[in-house]
Amino acid sequence: MQNKLKAYIKTTELFLKGSSFYRGVLLTIAIVLPLFVFNILDLFAYAPAIALGIFLNAPSDVPGSLRRKINGIFISIALTILITFIILITKPVFVLLVIAITVLSFGISLISAYGFRASLISFSGLLAIVLALAIDKPDIKSIAIHVGLLGLGGLWYLSFSLFANWIFPKKDDDQILSDTLQLTGQFLKVRAKLLVKPNKREKFSKKALILQTQISEKHETLRELLLEGRKRSGRSHSNERRLLIFISLVDIFELALANSLDYSKIDSLFGLRKKHLNSFKKMNKEMGKHLIALSELLIKKGKLPDIELFNDIYQETDKAILDYVDEISLPKAREGAISLRNLQDYQKQLLQEVKAIRRVLRKVKNNSKAFLKTKESVPFLTSQDYSFNILLQHFSLKSPMLRHALRLTIAIVFGFLLGSLLDIKNAYWIILTIIVIMRPNYGLTKERSKNRIIGTIIGAVIATAIVLITQNTIVYMVLAVISLTFAFSLIQQSYKAGAAFITLNIVFVYALIDPNAFTVIQYRVIDTVLGAGIAVLANYLLFPSWEYKNLDSVILNVITTNSDYLEATKHLYHNKEENSLEYKVSRKKAFLAMSNLNAAFQRLTQDPKSKQKESALIYDMVTLNHTILSAIASIGSYVLNHNTTPASEEFDTIIKDITSSLKHAASKLELNETVHFSEEKEIHQAHEKLQKRYNNLSLKRDSDIEAGQTEIDNKTLLNLQEAHLISNQLLWLKSLSVNLNNVTIKYKSVFN
């Protein structure tokens, strides 16, 4: 009970000191301040329009480069002014209004094609339609004043946001770094469970895939925040510190992916002797917990957690290797012992990165990790294409974006007509619910609908209880402000809680205007249920975009980027200094592509069971591509972090064959060309030569042991590890690429 209380207090403290709550407070101040000032100046009639302008243009103020943030808010201001003007000018003529809503909804929805920030600008535009429907302006003069005040509100919010960013310039950076540290820590803990729990591997593997997707998304945001900011304002000590943490997190992520072990081989090597793996599991788990503890220090003050524990665990891993060798005896124990040495080596590298993050948090100067040159950062930034061709590419019913735009437009128009036909009070709430709930895929729309309804009912029940207890307008005003802050703070973290606070805010605001607050509560619940129902039905019935139909291009991108990543890894093995940048850029693209495939598969699992066509086959495609990525990362990570021998001709021959195999799989997927594979003699000989090198090193080591040299020197150990890893990973990659071709043929035969 005491531990739960401590955990709750810590969670609450992290939330109150985090950027989400900070953003909620800022938005509340930005809205309340003009209301207060204009009331003092006896100009309160103008204040609501300014508040609406703030509310409309706040969504596009999300973490990212300052330039994109400013441009996004300016575009949002212009768009919301134009939409509000069109809706208000056509409002007197019902037919014109319906046409305006239809055309605007469709056009605004398509803006989302330009990326995440554009989707938030699109949301502001759709929100402008709803809020314009809630307002009556009888003449052109009052319309002009209203839209002018909306623009003024948007400009005020932009100014206030820039001022807040100047006061606390790195709030978003620290929050996203903290979130990434926490997710990476959770990822390492899941990886620890994968090592020793074969019966639960599928469950933990799926959890790991979800975490990988979330981590990759955070990495993209951090690249924009840290690298774009660095290009714009140059180096600063605080920026470099955050960049160093980010670089270590990327390295940890790659190391973890690179050591996605061949668990079937681990099981065959260790069988019932899993006790030898327990210390390695413990090491991963404790490093995960340590990263989570460090994530909290970026948000709240505190002491660095003790690191001495890792020295003890590392000694336990040493003992585990010796115990395994004693129990099995050499040479039979060699392969298992080398696998454990490779695992220990990986964990040692992980620990170095954890220590590097600790040094940054301690603000130790002259950190050993080299700073990234500004010109080298450019290839890591993902540029968004804003050309008109992007929209033209989506003008096809095969495009999920166009289908979503059509679906959303029909749902909005239907909701508006239904509300008008039934003469429902505040019917625009139906449209508002549709807009905030509806997403391109069915599963997320259904989940948000459920959370929206539950949150609204919870908010309505709490509001009813408060209204029954008191009729004090001062209480309503205070609660309206508090609920507004928490609504903005929680809407991204917990949609259900956010919806509850939004309902509370709306009820208390209306209670200040109309004493009969129960009517507001009643219609709020009814309109929310109607809107949610329309959104879910529209997603299911109108131009449904089931995920299995959209996977070809995502899988193709993964295979292509994996092929490029493997080629870059080959170049890295030949010359680290010249090719490390090419390798890291290829790595980033491959990780992002895999993240997109993971996300697509998660969306597939949220579709109705009847629409999860061949989900087991698709899961095989996902896991095969992920395993190929991990195997490539395993070679690349080893080469990058060790002094290696020169790459052999056999290595190049096998890499060329695997790359060709991946390209054949891509060709089959894209062009549906069947390719028949035969084992080439040259490839077989190359594998034999690589294996022979490892065998020769093993025989030499056996001779040394027989001669009484029981202690292995570092050079021999590293040569054995390298020969073992390269030979095994290439053999594994070859097998995986052949399996991928077979599964791709089966996949195309099913979905052709």
mmCIF file with all atom_site columns, all heavy atoms in Angstrom, residues 194-198 201 263 266-281:
data_model
loop_
_atom_site.group_PDB
_atom_site.id
_atom_site.type_symbol
_atom_site.label_atom_id
_atom_site.label_alt_id
_atom_site.label_comp_id
_atom_site.label_asym_id
_atom_site.label_entity_id
_atom_site.label_seq_id
_atom_site.pdbx_PDB_ins_code
_atom_site.Cartn_x
_atom_site.Cartn_y
_atom_site.Cartn_z
_atom_site.occupancy
_atom_site.B_iso_or_equiv
_atom_site.pdbx_formal_charge
_atom_site.auth_seq_id
_atom_site.auth_comp_id
_atom_site.auth_asym_id
_atom_site.auth_atom_id
_atom_site.pdbx_PDB_model_num
ATOM 1   N N   . LEU A 1 194 ? 12.270 -11.762 -22.741 1.00 0.00 ? 194 LEU A N   1
ATOM 2   C CA  . LEU A 1 194 ? 12.356 -12.602 -23.941 1.00 0.00 ? 194 LEU A CA  1
ATOM 3   C C   . LEU A 1 194 ? 13.443 -13.662 -23.816 1.00 0.00 ? 194 LEU A C   1
ATOM 4   O O   . LEU A 1 194 ? 13.329 -14.757 -24.369 1.00 0.00 ? 194 LEU A O   1
ATOM 5   C CB  . LEU A 1 194 ? 12.648 -11.723 -25.168 1.00 0.00 ? 194 LEU A CB  1
ATOM 6   C CG  . LEU A 1 194 ? 11.465 -11.000 -25.818 1.00 0.00 ? 194 LEU A CG  1
ATOM 7   C CD1 . LEU A 1 194 ? 11.958 -9.958  -26.803 1.00 0.00 ? 194 LEU A CD1 1
ATOM 8   C CD2 . LEU A 1 194 ? 10.545 -11.993 -26.508 1.00 0.00 ? 194 LEU A CD2 1
ATOM 9   N N   . LEU A 1 195 ? 14.491 -13.339 -23.080 1.00 0.00 ? 195 LEU A N   1
ATOM 10  C CA  . LEU A 1 195 ? 15.658 -14.214 -22.985 1.00 0.00 ? 195 LEU A CA  1
ATOM 11  C C   . LEU A 1 195 ? 15.353 -15.528 -22.280 1.00 0.00 ? 195 LEU A C   1
ATOM 12  O O   . LEU A 1 195 ? 15.835 -16.587 -22.693 1.00 0.00 ? 195 LEU A O   1
ATOM 13  C CB  . LEU A 1 195 ? 16.790 -13.474 -22.259 1.00 0.00 ? 195 LEU A CB  1
ATOM 14  C CG  . LEU A 1 195 ? 18.174 -14.132 -22.247 1.00 0.00 ? 195 LEU A CG  1
ATOM 15  C CD1 . LEU A 1 195 ? 18.708 -14.285 -23.668 1.00 0.00 ? 195 LEU A CD1 1
ATOM 16  C CD2 . LEU A 1 195 ? 19.141 -13.313 -21.403 1.00 0.00 ? 195 LEU A CD2 1
ATOM 17  N N   . VAL A 1 196 ? 14.524 -15.473 -21.242 1.00 0.00 ? 196 VAL A N   1
ATOM 18  C CA  . VAL A 1 196 ? 14.359 -16.670 -20.392 1.00 0.00 ? 196 VAL A CA  1
ATOM 19  C C   . VAL A 1 196 ? 12.919 -17.180 -20.304 1.00 0.00 ? 196 VAL A C   1
ATOM 20  O O   . VAL A 1 196 ? 12.645 -18.111 -19.560 1.00 0.00 ? 196 VAL A O   1
ATOM 21  C CB  . VAL A 1 196 ? 14.876 -16.381 -18.958 1.00 0.00 ? 196 VAL A CB  1
ATOM 22  C CG1 . VAL A 1 196 ? 16.373 -16.127 -18.973 1.00 0.00 ? 196 VAL A CG1 1
ATOM 23  C CG2 . VAL A 1 196 ? 14.139 -15.211 -18.320 1.00 0.00 ? 196 VAL A CG2 1
ATOM 24  N N   . LYS A 1 197 ? 11.995 -16.575 -21.062 1.00 0.00 ? 197 LYS A N   1
ATOM 25  C CA  . LYS A 1 197 ? 10.595 -17.015 -20.984 1.00 0.00 ? 197 LYS A CA  1
ATOM 26  C C   . LYS A 1 197 ? 10.092 -17.434 -22.362 1.00 0.00 ? 197 LYS A C   1
ATOM 27  O O   . LYS A 1 197 ? 9.351  -16.697 -23.019 1.00 0.00 ? 197 LYS A O   1
ATOM 28  C CB  . LYS A 1 197 ? 9.722  -15.900 -20.401 1.00 0.00 ? 197 LYS A CB  1
ATOM 29  C CG  . LYS A 1 197 ? 10.078 -15.576 -18.949 1.00 0.00 ? 197 LYS A CG  1
ATOM 30  C CD  . LYS A 1 197 ? 9.051  -14.689 -18.295 1.00 0.00 ? 197 LYS A CD  1
ATOM 31  C CE  . LYS A 1 197 ? 9.374  -14.474 -16.819 1.00 0.00 ? 197 LYS A CE  1
ATOM 32  N NZ  . LYS A 1 197 ? 8.394  -13.638 -16.131 1.00 0.00 ? 197 LYS A NZ  1
ATOM 33  N N   . PRO A 1 198 ? 10.508 -18.626 -22.834 1.00 0.00 ? 198 PRO A N   1
ATOM 34  C CA  . PRO A 1 198 ? 10.131 -19.075 -24.183 1.00 0.00 ? 198 PRO A CA  1
ATOM 35  C C   . PRO A 1 198 ? 8.628  -19.209 -24.391 1.00 0.00 ? 198 PRO A C   1
ATOM 36  O O   . PRO A 1 198 ? 8.133  -18.998 -25.494 1.00 0.00 ? 198 PRO A O   1
ATOM 37  C CB  . PRO A 1 198 ? 10.834 -20.428 -24.315 1.00 0.00 ? 198 PRO A CB  1
ATOM 38  C CG  . PRO A 1 198 ? 11.157 -20.860 -22.925 1.00 0.00 ? 198 PRO A CG  1
ATOM 39  C CD  . PRO A 1 198 ? 11.358 -19.615 -22.145 1.00 0.00 ? 198 PRO A CD  1
ATOM 40  N N   . ARG A 1 201 ? 7.089  -15.730 -25.382 1.00 0.00 ? 201 ARG A N   1
ATOM 41  C CA  . ARG A 1 201 ? 7.872  -14.921 -26.332 1.00 0.00 ? 201 ARG A CA  1
ATOM 42  C C   . ARG A 1 201 ? 6.984  -14.159 -27.316 1.00 0.00 ? 201 ARG A C   1
ATOM 43  O O   . ARG A 1 201 ? 7.276  -13.021 -27.659 1.00 0.00 ? 201 ARG A O   1
ATOM 44  C CB  . ARG A 1 201 ? 8.861  -15.808 -27.081 1.00 0.00 ? 201 ARG A CB  1
ATOM 45  C CG  . ARG A 1 201 ? 10.081 -16.110 -26.216 1.00 0.00 ? 201 ARG A CG  1
ATOM 46  C CD  . ARG A 1 201 ? 11.350 -16.242 -27.001 1.00 0.00 ? 201 ARG A CD  1
ATOM 47  N NE  . ARG A 1 201 ? 12.429 -16.585 -26.069 1.00 0.00 ? 201 ARG A NE  1
ATOM 48  C CZ  . ARG A 1 201 ? 13.004 -17.764 -25.997 1.00 0.00 ? 201 ARG A CZ  1
ATOM 49  N NH1 . ARG A 1 201 ? 12.639 -18.724 -26.826 1.00 0.00 ? 201 ARG A NH1 1
ATOM 50  N NH2 . ARG A 1 201 ? 13.976 -17.981 -25.124 1.00 0.00 ? 201 ARG A NH2 1
ATOM 51  N N   . TYR A 1 263 ? 16.451 -17.009 -30.850 1.00 0.00 ? 263 TYR A N   1
ATOM 52  C CA  . TYR A 1 263 ? 16.044 -17.652 -29.593 1.00 0.00 ? 263 TYR A CA  1
ATOM 53  C C   . TYR A 1 263 ? 15.932 -19.175 -29.715 1.00 0.00 ? 263 TYR A C   1
ATOM 54  O O   . TYR A 1 263 ? 16.124 -19.893 -28.733 1.00 0.00 ? 263 TYR A O   1
ATOM 55  C CB  . TYR A 1 263 ? 14.735 -17.043 -29.092 1.00 0.00 ? 263 TYR A CB  1
ATOM 56  C CG  . TYR A 1 263 ? 14.904 -15.615 -28.629 1.00 0.00 ? 263 TYR A CG  1
ATOM 57  C CD1 . TYR A 1 263 ? 14.345 -14.564 -29.336 1.00 0.00 ? 263 TYR A CD1 1
ATOM 58  C CD2 . TYR A 1 263 ? 15.653 -15.322 -27.493 1.00 0.00 ? 263 TYR A CD2 1
ATOM 59  C CE1 . TYR A 1 263 ? 14.514 -13.245 -28.920 1.00 0.00 ? 263 TYR A CE1 1
ATOM 60  C CE2 . TYR A 1 263 ? 15.833 -14.022 -27.071 1.00 0.00 ? 263 TYR A CE2 1
ATOM 61  C CZ  . TYR A 1 263 ? 15.260 -12.978 -27.791 1.00 0.00 ? 263 TYR A CZ  1
ATOM 62  O OH  . TYR A 1 263 ? 15.442 -11.681 -27.377 1.00 0.00 ? 263 TYR A OH  1
ATOM 63  N N   . ILE A 1 266 ? 19.331 -20.279 -28.985 1.00 0.00 ? 266 ILE A N   1
ATOM 64  C CA  . ILE A 1 266 ? 19.600 -20.120 -27.552 1.00 0.00 ? 266 ILE A CA  1
ATOM 65  C C   . ILE A 1 266 ? 18.968 -21.270 -26.777 1.00 0.00 ? 266 ILE A C   1
ATOM 66  O O   . ILE A 1 266 ? 19.583 -21.867 -25.876 1.00 0.00 ? 266 ILE A O   1
ATOM 67  C CB  . ILE A 1 266 ? 19.056 -18.765 -27.046 1.00 0.00 ? 266 ILE A CB  1
ATOM 68  C CG1 . ILE A 1 266 ? 19.885 -17.597 -27.603 1.00 0.00 ? 266 ILE A CG1 1
ATOM 69  C CG2 . ILE A 1 266 ? 19.032 -18.703 -25.520 1.00 0.00 ? 266 ILE A CG2 1
ATOM 70  C CD1 . ILE A 1 266 ? 21.304 -17.526 -27.082 1.00 0.00 ? 266 ILE A CD1 1
ATOM 71  N N   . ASP A 1 267 ? 17.720 -21.603 -27.145 1.00 0.00 ? 267 ASP A N   1
ATOM 72  C CA  . ASP A 1 267 ? 17.023 -22.696 -26.457 1.00 0.00 ? 267 ASP A CA  1
ATOM 73  C C   . ASP A 1 267 ? 17.729 -24.035 -26.690 1.00 0.00 ? 267 ASP A C   1
ATOM 74  O O   . ASP A 1 267 ? 17.827 -24.865 -25.777 1.00 0.00 ? 267 ASP A O   1
ATOM 75  C CB  . ASP A 1 267 ? 15.572 -22.782 -26.944 1.00 0.00 ? 267 ASP A CB  1
ATOM 76  C CG  . ASP A 1 267 ? 14.747 -21.578 -26.495 1.00 0.00 ? 267 ASP A CG  1
ATOM 77  O OD1 . ASP A 1 267 ? 15.151 -20.914 -25.527 1.00 0.00 ? 267 ASP A OD1 1
ATOM 78  O OD2 . ASP A 1 267 ? 13.710 -21.291 -27.133 1.00 0.00 ? 267 ASP A OD2 1
ATOM 79  N N   . SER A 1 268 ? 18.227 -24.229 -27.921 1.00 0.00 ? 268 SER A N   1
ATOM 80  C CA  . SER A 1 268 ? 18.909 -25.502 -28.208 1.00 0.00 ? 268 SER A CA  1
ATOM 81  C C   . SER A 1 268 ? 20.263 -25.575 -27.507 1.00 0.00 ? 268 SER A C   1
ATOM 82  O O   . SER A 1 268 ? 20.695 -26.656 -27.085 1.00 0.00 ? 268 SER A O   1
ATOM 83  C CB  . SER A 1 268 ? 19.092 -25.676 -29.719 1.00 0.00 ? 268 SER A CB  1
ATOM 84  O OG  . SER A 1 268 ? 19.998 -24.723 -30.228 1.00 0.00 ? 268 SER A OG  1
ATOM 85  N N   . LEU A 1 269 ? 20.935 -24.426 -27.369 1.00 0.00 ? 269 LEU A N   1
ATOM 86  C CA  . LEU A 1 269 ? 22.245 -24.410 -26.711 1.00 0.00 ? 269 LEU A CA  1
ATOM 87  C C   . LEU A 1 269 ? 22.131 -24.621 -25.209 1.00 0.00 ? 269 LEU A C   1
ATOM 88  O O   . LEU A 1 269 ? 22.924 -25.344 -24.600 1.00 0.00 ? 269 LEU A O   1
ATOM 89  C CB  . LEU A 1 269 ? 22.961 -23.085 -26.988 1.00 0.00 ? 269 LEU A CB  1
ATOM 90  C CG  . LEU A 1 269 ? 23.639 -22.920 -28.358 1.00 0.00 ? 269 LEU A CG  1
ATOM 91  C CD1 . LEU A 1 269 ? 24.137 -21.485 -28.525 1.00 0.00 ? 269 LEU A CD1 1
ATOM 92  C CD2 . LEU A 1 269 ? 24.806 -23.894 -28.499 1.00 0.00 ? 269 LEU A CD2 1
ATOM 93  N N   . PHE A 1 270 ? 21.120 -23.961 -24.609 1.00 0.00 ? 270 PHE A N   1
ATOM 94  C CA  . PHE A 1 270 ? 21.055 -23.963 -23.140 1.00 0.00 ? 270 PHE A CA  1
ATOM 95  C C   . PHE A 1 270 ? 19.965 -24.878 -22.591 1.00 0.00 ? 270 PHE A C   1
ATOM 96  O O   . PHE A 1 270 ? 20.030 -25.267 -21.427 1.00 0.00 ? 270 PHE A O   1
ATOM 97  C CB  . PHE A 1 270 ? 20.871 -22.529 -22.625 1.00 0.00 ? 270 PHE A CB  1
ATOM 98  C CG  . PHE A 1 270 ? 22.043 -21.649 -22.948 1.00 0.00 ? 270 PHE A CG  1
ATOM 99  C CD1 . PHE A 1 270 ? 22.032 -20.827 -24.052 1.00 0.00 ? 270 PHE A CD1 1
ATOM 100 C CD2 . PHE A 1 270 ? 23.184 -21.673 -22.163 1.00 0.00 ? 270 PHE A CD2 1
ATOM 101 C CE1 . PHE A 1 270 ? 23.116 -20.026 -24.367 1.00 0.00 ? 270 PHE A CE1 1
ATOM 102 C CE2 . PHE A 1 270 ? 24.280 -20.890 -22.465 1.00 0.00 ? 270 PHE A CE2 1
ATOM 103 C CZ  . PHE A 1 270 ? 24.249 -20.061 -23.578 1.00 0.00 ? 270 PHE A CZ  1
ATOM 104 N N   . GLY A 1 271 ? 18.979 -25.206 -23.431 1.00 0.00 ? 271 GLY A N   1
ATOM 105 C CA  . GLY A 1 271 ? 17.954 -26.160 -23.014 1.00 0.00 ? 271 GLY A CA  1
ATOM 106 C C   . GLY A 1 271 ? 17.404 -25.865 -21.634 1.00 0.00 ? 271 GLY A C   1
ATOM 107 O O   . GLY A 1 271 ? 16.857 -24.798 -21.377 1.00 0.00 ? 271 GLY A O   1
ATOM 108 N N   . LEU A 1 272 ? 17.583 -26.791 -20.739 1.00 0.00 ? 272 LEU A N   1
ATOM 109 C CA  . LEU A 1 272 ? 17.092 -26.630 -19.369 1.00 0.00 ? 272 LEU A CA  1
ATOM 110 C C   . LEU A 1 272 ? 18.086 -25.882 -18.478 1.00 0.00 ? 272 LEU A C   1
ATOM 111 O O   . LEU A 1 272 ? 17.835 -25.702 -17.281 1.00 0.00 ? 272 LEU A O   1
ATOM 112 C CB  . LEU A 1 272 ? 16.801 -28.011 -18.768 1.00 0.00 ? 272 LEU A CB  1
ATOM 113 C CG  . LEU A 1 272 ? 15.733 -28.851 -19.489 1.00 0.00 ? 272 LEU A CG  1
ATOM 114 C CD1 . LEU A 1 272 ? 15.634 -30.243 -18.857 1.00 0.00 ? 272 LEU A CD1 1
ATOM 115 C CD2 . LEU A 1 272 ? 14.374 -28.149 -19.455 1.00 0.00 ? 272 LEU A CD2 1
ATOM 116 N N   . ARG A 1 273 ? 19.197 -25.463 -19.059 1.00 0.00 ? 273 ARG A N   1
ATOM 117 C CA  . ARG A 1 273 ? 20.227 -24.761 -18.269 1.00 0.00 ? 273 ARG A CA  1
ATOM 118 C C   . ARG A 1 273 ? 20.007 -23.246 -18.324 1.00 0.00 ? 273 ARG A C   1
ATOM 119 O O   . ARG A 1 273 ? 20.942 -22.469 -18.533 1.00 0.00 ? 273 ARG A O   1
ATOM 120 C CB  . ARG A 1 273 ? 21.614 -25.125 -18.776 1.00 0.00 ? 273 ARG A CB  1
ATOM 121 C CG  . ARG A 1 273 ? 21.921 -26.625 -18.707 1.00 0.00 ? 273 ARG A CG  1
ATOM 122 C CD  . ARG A 1 273 ? 23.338 -26.892 -19.185 1.00 0.00 ? 273 ARG A CD  1
ATOM 123 N NE  . ARG A 1 273 ? 23.656 -28.307 -19.155 1.00 0.00 ? 273 ARG A NE  1
ATOM 124 C CZ  . ARG A 1 273 ? 23.434 -29.133 -20.176 1.00 0.00 ? 273 ARG A CZ  1
ATOM 125 N NH1 . ARG A 1 273 ? 22.896 -28.670 -21.297 1.00 0.00 ? 273 ARG A NH1 1
ATOM 126 N NH2 . ARG A 1 273 ? 23.759 -30.401 -20.084 1.00 0.00 ? 273 ARG A NH2 1
ATOM 127 N N   . LYS A 1 274 ? 18.786 -22.824 -18.182 1.00 0.00 ? 274 LYS A N   1
ATOM 128 C CA  . LYS A 1 274 ? 18.463 -21.394 -18.267 1.00 0.00 ? 274 LYS A CA  1
ATOM 129 C C   . LYS A 1 274 ? 19.060 -20.598 -17.098 1.00 0.00 ? 274 LYS A C   1
ATOM 130 O O   . LYS A 1 274 ? 19.143 -19.377 -17.156 1.00 0.00 ? 274 LYS A O   1
ATOM 131 C CB  . LYS A 1 274 ? 16.932 -21.194 -18.288 1.00 0.00 ? 274 LYS A CB  1
ATOM 132 C CG  . LYS A 1 274 ? 16.256 -21.616 -19.588 1.00 0.00 ? 274 LYS A CG  1
ATOM 133 C CD  . LYS A 1 274 ? 16.591 -20.678 -20.731 1.00 0.00 ? 274 LYS A CD  1
ATOM 134 C CE  . LYS A 1 274 ? 15.695 -20.887 -21.927 1.00 0.00 ? 274 LYS A CE  1
ATOM 135 N NZ  . LYS A 1 274 ? 15.798 -22.185 -22.572 1.00 0.00 ? 274 LYS A NZ  1
ATOM 136 N N   . LYS A 1 275 ? 19.487 -21.316 -16.068 1.00 0.00 ? 275 LYS A N   1
ATOM 137 C CA  . LYS A 1 275 ? 20.066 -20.624 -14.904 1.00 0.00 ? 275 LYS A CA  1
ATOM 138 C C   . LYS A 1 275 ? 21.289 -19.803 -15.308 1.00 0.00 ? 275 LYS A C   1
ATOM 139 O O   . LYS A 1 275 ? 21.607 -18.774 -14.696 1.00 0.00 ? 275 LYS A O   1
ATOM 140 C CB  . LYS A 1 275 ? 20.450 -21.631 -13.813 1.00 0.00 ? 275 LYS A CB  1
ATOM 141 C CG  . LYS A 1 275 ? 21.515 -22.633 -14.255 1.00 0.00 ? 275 LYS A CG  1
ATOM 142 C CD  . LYS A 1 275 ? 21.832 -23.649 -13.165 1.00 0.00 ? 275 LYS A CD  1
ATOM 143 C CE  . LYS A 1 275 ? 22.906 -24.637 -13.646 1.00 0.00 ? 275 LYS A CE  1
ATOM 144 N NZ  . LYS A 1 275 ? 23.226 -25.644 -12.627 1.00 0.00 ? 275 LYS A NZ  1
ATOM 145 N N   . HIS A 1 276 ? 21.981 -20.241 -16.370 1.00 0.00 ? 276 HIS A N   1
ATOM 146 C CA  . HIS A 1 276 ? 23.169 -19.521 -16.820 1.00 0.00 ? 276 HIS A CA  1
ATOM 147 C C   . HIS A 1 276 ? 22.803 -18.191 -17.489 1.00 0.00 ? 276 HIS A C   1
ATOM 148 O O   . HIS A 1 276 ? 23.680 -17.348 -17.698 1.00 0.00 ? 276 HIS A O   1
ATOM 149 C CB  . HIS A 1 276 ? 23.972 -20.382 -17.800 1.00 0.00 ? 276 HIS A CB  1
ATOM 150 C CG  . HIS A 1 276 ? 24.452 -21.673 -17.210 1.00 0.00 ? 276 HIS A CG  1
ATOM 151 N ND1 . HIS A 1 276 ? 25.348 -21.722 -16.163 1.00 0.00 ? 276 HIS A ND1 1
ATOM 152 C CD2 . HIS A 1 276 ? 24.137 -22.967 -17.503 1.00 0.00 ? 276 HIS A CD2 1
ATOM 153 C CE1 . HIS A 1 276 ? 25.582 -22.988 -15.833 1.00 0.00 ? 276 HIS A CE1 1
ATOM 154 N NE2 . HIS A 1 276 ? 24.860 -23.762 -16.638 1.00 0.00 ? 276 HIS A NE2 1
ATOM 155 N N   . LEU A 1 277 ? 21.525 -18.023 -17.831 1.00 0.00 ? 277 LEU A N   1
ATOM 156 C CA  . LEU A 1 277 ? 21.071 -16.792 -18.488 1.00 0.00 ? 277 LEU A CA  1
ATOM 157 C C   . LEU A 1 277 ? 20.475 -15.785 -17.501 1.00 0.00 ? 277 LEU A C   1
ATOM 158 O O   . LEU A 1 277 ? 20.225 -14.636 -17.864 1.00 0.00 ? 277 LEU A O   1
ATOM 159 C CB  . LEU A 1 277 ? 20.016 -17.124 -19.560 1.00 0.00 ? 277 LEU A CB  1
ATOM 160 C CG  . LEU A 1 277 ? 20.472 -18.009 -20.723 1.00 0.00 ? 277 LEU A CG  1
ATOM 161 C CD1 . LEU A 1 277 ? 19.271 -18.421 -21.566 1.00 0.00 ? 277 LEU A CD1 1
ATOM 162 C CD2 . LEU A 1 277 ? 21.497 -17.292 -21.581 1.00 0.00 ? 277 LEU A CD2 1
ATOM 163 N N   . ASN A 1 278 ? 20.237 -16.227 -16.265 1.00 0.00 ? 278 ASN A N   1
ATOM 164 C CA  . ASN A 1 278 ? 19.527 -15.368 -15.305 1.00 0.00 ? 278 ASN A CA  1
ATOM 165 C C   . ASN A 1 278 ? 20.256 -14.055 -15.014 1.00 0.00 ? 278 ASN A C   1
ATOM 166 O O   . ASN A 1 278 ? 19.637 -13.000 -14.900 1.00 0.00 ? 278 ASN A O   1
ATOM 167 C CB  . ASN A 1 278 ? 19.286 -16.129 -13.994 1.00 0.00 ? 278 ASN A CB  1
ATOM 168 C CG  . ASN A 1 278 ? 18.170 -17.149 -14.134 1.00 0.00 ? 278 ASN A CG  1
ATOM 169 O OD1 . ASN A 1 278 ? 17.305 -17.019 -14.999 1.00 0.00 ? 278 ASN A OD1 1
ATOM 170 N ND2 . ASN A 1 278 ? 18.198 -18.174 -13.307 1.00 0.00 ? 278 ASN A ND2 1
ATOM 171 N N   . SER A 1 279 ? 21.580 -14.117 -14.884 1.00 0.00 ? 279 SER A N   1
ATOM 172 C CA  . SER A 1 279 ? 22.326 -12.889 -14.584 1.00 0.00 ? 279 SER A CA  1
ATOM 173 C C   . SER A 1 279 ? 22.268 -11.911 -15.759 1.00 0.00 ? 279 SER A C   1
ATOM 174 O O   . SER A 1 279 ? 22.256 -10.689 -15.565 1.00 0.00 ? 279 SER A O   1
ATOM 175 C CB  . SER A 1 279 ? 23.777 -13.214 -14.230 1.00 0.00 ? 279 SER A CB  1
ATOM 176 O OG  . SER A 1 279 ? 24.405 -13.945 -15.270 1.00 0.00 ? 279 SER A OG  1
ATOM 177 N N   . PHE A 1 280 ? 22.210 -12.447 -16.998 1.00 0.00 ? 280 PHE A N   1
ATOM 178 C CA  . PHE A 1 280 ? 22.100 -11.587 -18.183 1.00 0.00 ? 280 PHE A CA  1
ATOM 179 C C   . PHE A 1 280 ? 20.718 -10.938 -18.244 1.00 0.00 ? 280 PHE A C   1
ATOM 180 O O   . PHE A 1 280 ? 20.586 -9.763  -18.600 1.00 0.00 ? 280 PHE A O   1
ATOM 181 C CB  . PHE A 1 280 ? 22.367 -12.400 -19.446 1.00 0.00 ? 280 PHE A CB  1
ATOM 182 C CG  . PHE A 1 280 ? 23.766 -12.941 -19.520 1.00 0.00 ? 280 PHE A CG  1
ATOM 183 C CD1 . PHE A 1 280 ? 24.057 -14.212 -19.053 1.00 0.00 ? 280 PHE A CD1 1
ATOM 184 C CD2 . PHE A 1 280 ? 24.795 -12.175 -20.033 1.00 0.00 ? 280 PHE A CD2 1
ATOM 185 C CE1 . PHE A 1 280 ? 25.346 -14.716 -19.097 1.00 0.00 ? 280 PHE A CE1 1
ATOM 186 C CE2 . PHE A 1 280 ? 26.094 -12.668 -20.095 1.00 0.00 ? 280 PHE A CE2 1
ATOM 187 C CZ  . PHE A 1 280 ? 26.378 -13.937 -19.621 1.00 0.00 ? 280 PHE A CZ  1
ATOM 188 N N   . LYS A 1 281 ? 19.712 -11.721 -17.868 1.00 0.00 ? 281 LYS A N   1
ATOM 189 C CA  . LYS A 1 281 ? 18.355 -11.168 -17.791 1.00 0.00 ? 281 LYS A CA  1
ATOM 190 C C   . LYS A 1 281 ? 18.317 -10.045 -16.748 1.00 0.00 ? 281 LYS A C   1
ATOM 191 O O   . LYS A 1 281 ? 17.750 -8.971  -16.982 1.00 0.00 ? 281 LYS A O   1
ATOM 192 C CB  . LYS A 1 281 ? 17.372 -12.275 -17.404 1.00 0.00 ? 281 LYS A CB  1
ATOM 193 C CG  . LYS A 1 281 ? 15.971 -11.743 -17.087 1.00 0.00 ? 281 LYS A CG  1
ATOM 194 C CD  . LYS A 1 281 ? 15.179 -12.730 -16.248 1.00 0.00 ? 281 LYS A CD  1
ATOM 195 C CE  . LYS A 1 281 ? 13.931 -12.076 -15.701 1.00 0.00 ? 281 LYS A CE  1
ATOM 196 N NZ  . LYS A 1 281 ? 13.187 -12.943 -14.776 1.00 0.00 ? 281 LYS A NZ  1
#
